[in-house]
Amino acid sequence: MIILSATNITKTYGVDIILQEVSFHVNEGDRIGIVGNNGAGKTTLLNILCGEMPCDDGNVFISANTSIGYLKQSQNFDSDKTLIEEVTAIFSHVADMERDMAELSQDIAEKSSRGENVDKLLQKYDEIMEAYNRCNGYSYKSEINGILNSMAFTENFYDKKISTLSGGEKTRLALACLLLKKPDLLFLDEPTNHLDIGTLKWLEQYLKSYSGTIILISHDRYFLDQTVNRIFEVENHKLYTYQGGYSEYAEKKRQRREEEWRKYEGQQKEIAKQEEIIRRFKQHGTEKLAKRAQSREKRLSHLELVERPEALAGKMKIHFKQQFKSGNDVIFTEKLQKGFGYGQKRKELFHDVELDIKRGERICIVGPNGVGKTTLLKILMGDMEPDSGRLKIGHNVQFGYYDQEQQNLNPANTVFDEMKDSYRLYTDTEMRSLLGRFLFKNESVFLNVGALSGGEKARLSLLKLMLSGANVLILDEPTNHLDITSKEVFEDALLDFPGTVIVVSHDRYFLNKIPTRIMELDTDGITAYLGSYDYYMEKKQEIASGKKYLNELNSAQNSGGMEASAAVDFNNLSASEQRRINKELEAKARRKEREQKRLEEEIESLEKEMAELEEEMCREEVFSDHVLLAKYHDRSEECKTKLSEAYDHWVLVQEE
């Protein structure tokens, strides 16, 4: 069933065309991701679909009785309510039912005691109670607590005024309110902004089980792969639709462009060939050839021309260079500790953080919001002092910092002046050329920095970082405001960079591509994992299974007569004990992997030898020689026994 359809949507701003004759339909239950470069018109399209902005031409149809919810990129709550008051107001109708049922219950009791007829009151009470059940009345409070907790709002936030929340907290609150309302048609504009990895994973699972229809804008490629079944791409004022998630879209788009160019170039070659033949026919001047030339010209004039594929939007050109190499040892720390406040109001961020970072490594730091990742970066650069611990910076280390808030940009400057203030040795022509590589062209170089979009500020910060010549790049959420094309260019530049990279990021696609090590920061220190995000998650699951391992150990100890108090509790172990057990588990996993590989190789070798023996025994010279045949038979039986034992052992290893 079609829940939304758009026909020939056109939108312009002055002479600039944003969307041109865009048509599509959305089926009930669809999960659609809208992608495209910054400024392509994604948010404009969403505003038109939601009815918040008129289109210049075309129509939008939404099926009757469809409730709509819209999460904007920036939420501006004007409410003076507390957080919990704002959320519970969503269920005011349920609270009204509770009050009505309480009043009816009291009324029924009083009238019954006086012997009056209460049949109508009982019927009304029953109707309200049925409606209360349909509205999830008995569990809505636990649902509120669950969603707020998943959005990182603990009970400490409940009585805070909304006006005191940060921009990121307001966005998370708006998303929580929207999910609690459960509209039939859910519009989300960059819902993953300001969410840590744990919250992102929760949101993915929630949206997968959401009963309504979802249309979302996102630059988070991993999130798109996990949540959507269709991709709408806004490109060159048009809209292209693809089935599947982001990875399927990227491959299908590549194939579509190749096919378009193949058809266009093939036709152009054929046209050129025919035009050359026509020219030659006319050149000879005979009547017969002239008629043939006219015939070919007529066929050419009726040919349906294949349009030249539109050029892709310009890509940012970025290449990080270091002015000089650092020493092999870049950063070394011992027992770093940091917190804020004093006495009972003191909040400890982390302690016992130990790092040993070498030249050329690409380190990605992950962890929940509020654990102190940005604070740790500032300590490493010397912009902030730790409360205790030791920090040693290596020889010739030069830091370059990307700030996720872009506080290193002066909003009063123009784009051009911002760059010239920092890099005066470049001529105006050279600076205009560099800005052009970062998509600041023509009059856009004279825009005020304060008027730039988040993506434009991100590109400007990256240009300043590129020109710094630093050999250690410290990056705090660098992909937050970049579109997908810019992200891919930026990632390739980091992979080519010969220096050291230390990044804080929640972008899981980025985390799968960039790091040589992932480091997870928590209050008890930092834990290193070799490799990418998927490997990190795999190891995290293995570590979580340490609890199961310890439970089994406890069970074995208790069955052997050990006191229950001597049993091991994973949650009560110190960080060093947990790391020790995790190392034991990792060592056990490696031993299992090696033994499994050895057994598989042994099984393959035995099966190969048995096949060769059977082939030999079928040969006439062996079959007729009873002594030789007996020898082959004995060896075959020996192989069968060994093969059976190897399979038994392999099964045991698999089940460990």
Side-chain angles (χ1 to χ4, degrees), residues 21-289:
E21 297 184 352
V22 167
S23 298
F24 59 87
H25 70 270
V26 177
N27 294 317
E28 190 174 357
D30 268 348
R31 280 147 172 70
I32 291 168
I34 302 178
V35 301
N37 290 337
N38 287 335
K42 303 184 297 296
T43 298
T44 298
L45 176 60
L46 219 58
N47 284 331
I48 291 171
L49 297 181
C50 293
E52 297 211 351
M53 178 186 291
C55 55
D56 299 330
D57 196 12
N59 296 294
V60 176
F61 164 80
I62 297 177
S63 61
N65 301 319
T66 298
S67 57
I68 295 174
Y70 183 20
L71 176 78
K72 300 180 181 180
Q73 273 196 54
S74 55
Q75 299 297 321
N76 296 312
F77 280 104
D78 296 325
S79 173
D80 289 328
K81 295 178 182 176
T82 63
L83 183 146
I84 196 65
E85 287 172 345
E86 182 72 25
V87 174
T88 52
I90 296 167
F91 296 92
S92 59
H93 61 294
V94 181
D96 290 342
M97 290 182 199
E98 288 176 343
R99 187 172 57 253
D100 291 345
M101 285 193 294
E103 290 174 357
L104 275 171
S105 180
Q106 185 177 357
D107 202 9
I108 288 168
E110 290 175 357
K111 289 188 176 182
S112 295
S113 65
R114 296 195 298 266
E116 297 180 25
N117 188 305
V118 293
D119 288 348
K120 288 186 178 180
L121 291 177
L122 286 170
Q123 184 180 352
K124 187 176 180 182
Y125 185 89
D126 188 51
E127 289 170 357
I128 295 175
M129 191 167 69
E130 283 184 14
Y132 186 74
N133 276 327
R134 287 195 300 271
C135 293
N136 203 23
Y138 292 104
S139 59
Y140 80 92
K141 290 181 181 177
S142 61
E143 187 178 6
I144 287 173
N145 292 335
I147 286 185
L148 286 179
N149 187 57
S150 298
M151 286 291 148
F153 291 117
T154 61
E155 291 187 6
N156 296 335
F157 280 89
Y158 285 12
D159 295 324
K160 281 190 175 182
K161 292 281 188 181
I162 290 174
S163 57
T164 66
L165 299 179
S166 68
E169 287 167 344
K170 287 179 180 178
T171 300
R172 295 205 313 272
L173 176 59
L175 180 55
C177 291
L178 204 55
L179 296 179
L180 286 165
K181 289 176 183 176
K182 299 178 184 173
D184 301 320
L185 187 52
L186 187 57
F187 293 98
L188 304 172
D189 194 353
E190 293 288 359
T192 62
N193 284 354
H194 311 291
L195 302 184
D196 59 30
I197 288 176
T199 309
L200 275 173
K201 289 175 67 180
W202 175 86
L203 180 60
E204 284 170 359
Q205 293 303 316
Y206 188 92
L207 293 181
K208 281 180 184 178
S209 60
Y210 193 76
S211 58
T213 304
I214 301 168
I215 301 177
L216 62 89
I217 294 171
S218 182
H219 293 142
D220 188 326
R221 296 156 290 178
Y222 198 100
F223 181 78
L224 288 169
D225 268 339
Q226 295 295 314
T227 55
V228 306
N229 59 10
R230 294 174 71 193
I231 293 285
F232 286 2
E233 181 189 31
V234 182
E235 183 181 44
N236 293 323
H237 324 307
K238 298 178 182 177
L239 185 135
Y240 302 91
T241 64
Y242 300 84
Q243 292 294 325
Y246 172 79
S247 296
E248 292 172 87
Y249 142 77
E251 177 59 22
K252 287 175 181 176
K253 178 183 177 179
R254 183 189 64 78
Q255 293 174 356
R256 175 180 68 80
R257 296 238 0 133
E258 286 179 357
E259 179 66 13
E260 286 175 351
W261 275 106
R262 186 186 65 77
K263 287 181 178 179
Y264 173 76
E265 289 173 349
Q267 188 182 67
Q268 290 300 305
K269 285 180 182 178
E270 181 61 26
I271 290 171
K273 177 183 172 182
Q274 293 300 323
E275 287 176 342
E276 176 62 18
I277 292 172
I278 291 167
R279 185 188 65 79
R280 289 184 178 183
F281 283 173
K282 288 181 175 180
Q283 188 177 14
H284 288 289
T286 67
E287 184 179 348
K288 183 179 179 181
L289 290 178

Side-chain angles (χ1 to χ4, degrees), residues 352-369:
D352 291 334
V353 170
E354 301 195 345
L355 298 170
D356 187 5
I357 299 174
K358 304 296 185 183
R359 183 181 66 232
E361 284 198 285
R362 296 189 299 275
I363 305 296
C364 288
I365 300 174
V366 300
N369 287 336

Side-chain angles (χ1 to χ4, degrees), residues 199 290 395 408 457-458 509 516 520 557:
T199 309
H395 179 63
N408 61 334
K457 288 179 181 176
Y509 207 95
T516 54
E520 183 180 44
Q557 289 172 336

